[in-house]
Amino acid sequence: MSEIARLPGLVTVHEDAADLVEAVAGWLLDIEFAAITATGEFRIALTGGSTPQPLYRALAAAPWRDRARWGRWNVFFGDERACPPDDPRSNYRLAAGTLLDLVPVPAERVHRMRADLADLDAAASEYSTLLAATCPASGPAAVPRLDCILLGLGENGHTASLFPGTPALRVGDRWATRGLADYEPHDRITLTYPVLNAAAHVAFLVTGATKTEALLGVIRGTVPAAGVRPVDGELRWFLDAAAAGSI
Ligand code: 6PG
């Protein structure tokens, strides 16, 4: 039996990236509809990296664009690099160029991590406070609960900016903290495990054959992405055939 079935949560394998995008978009907008129906709001954290770009572009076009109720979206970020928001490496810039500048989400509902500030600890603390002020509290620790968190998977098994062997992995009482990447820009801000694991719906988007070791690391519990185990929420793995076939 393929090792894929040993990933935690619900795993779906899609023929190619286009098929994966359609599946994620439908899944995401079902969550959006239910959240807005229940609370009037939809709170989502976007991931950086290259994998989500086709998804963001698809959401900004028909039919998905016309189905979403953009005025009720609250957009957060899973992590951000320590660079200006107009820097090509910025996750905010990536999301703005492929989605946020193309759809009518009110600017005040897009919550950028200010990782361009000199004091990253202050910027992380500011984001923790923002999450607490804008999201419902979950559990005895009152962890901010988002409706949906999109995540990528790095080749070393990192997710967001939770990198192997870094202090961010041990932060359990704050909702955002400094991250340290093993590639430029090294300095980051990242959501912490408590927030990832308090979410109602979490999805990893993984494509291509280069993530084999990372996926095996999740199965073995030896990489940071293995620590994403929603306490009272859904965990999904959207893989393309190349990623799934590699293990
Ligand atoms: C980032 C992301 C990071 C990303 C993985 C996978 O800031 O780059 O948050 O966690 O999701 O590195 O990146 P790819 O999708 O480009 O493989």
Side-chain angles (χ1 to χ4, degrees):
M1 176 179 75
S2 163
E3 293 271 331
I4 278 293
R6 295 176 55 208
L7 282 168
L10 177 60
V11 182
T12 50
V13 179
H14 305 275
E15 192 52 42
D16 53 30
D19 182 41
L20 181 146
V21 162
E22 290 303 297
V24 177
W27 170 82
L28 189 155
L29 287 179
D30 284 349
I31 294 166
E32 185 242 27
F33 180 83
I36 293 170
T37 301
T39 69
E41 300 290 339
F42 177 55
R43 302 174 177 93
I44 182 171
L46 302 179
T47 178
S50 56
T51 303
Q53 294 184 35
L55 169 66
Y56 298 160
R57 291 192 179 93
L59 291 171
W64 308 112
R65 174 195 169 89
D66 306 322
R67 192 174 136 189
R69 285 181 279 179
W70 301 107
R72 306 312 306 157
W73 284 45
N74 301 268
V75 179
F76 303 90
F77 291 84
D79 69 328
E80 184 55 277
R81 290 90 177 275
C83 62
D86 61 354
D87 186 299
R89 301 167 298 175
S90 161
N91 288 338
Y92 167 81
R93 181 177 184 269
L94 160 75
T98 55
L99 176 60
L100 301 176
D101 289 350
L102 308 175
V103 295
V105 178
E108 67 273 15
R109 284 173 164 264
V110 177
H111 307 293
R112 184 176 72 83
M113 289 177 165
R114 295 205 299 163
D116 50 316
L117 294 182
D119 185 343
L120 285 179
D121 291 316
S125 176
E126 173 189 82
Y127 212 75
S128 288
T129 301
L130 169 75
L131 286 164
T134 52
C135 298
S138 171
V143 184
R145 180 175 173 87
L146 279 79
D147 298 302
C148 184
I149 298 180
L150 301 179
L151 293 172
L153 181 65
E155 293 184 17
N156 63 1
H158 79 263
T159 192
S161 280
L162 297 169
F163 283 82
T166 61
L169 302 181
R170 295 189 297 277
V171 174
D173 58 353
R174 281 164 283 138
W175 319 138
T177 192
R178 291 182 70 140
L180 185 61
D182 51 12
Y183 56 90
E184 285 288 346
H186 294 290
D187 287 321
R188 309 283 183 96
I189 292 178
T190 185
L191 295 185
T192 57
Y193 282 129
V195 173
L196 302 184
N197 290 330
H201 302 272
V202 180
F204 281 93
L205 282 55
V206 186
T207 59
T210 63
K211 306 294 175 71
T212 306
E213 285 310 310
L215 287 167
L216 290 172
V218 173
I219 291 166
R220 295 166 183 154
T222 57
V223 297
V228 179
R229 304 295 291 267
V231 174
D232 176 22
E234 174 190 33
L235 177 59
R236 292 289 303 262
W237 291 84
F238 292 93
L239 309 180
D240 71 354
S246 63
I247 68 171

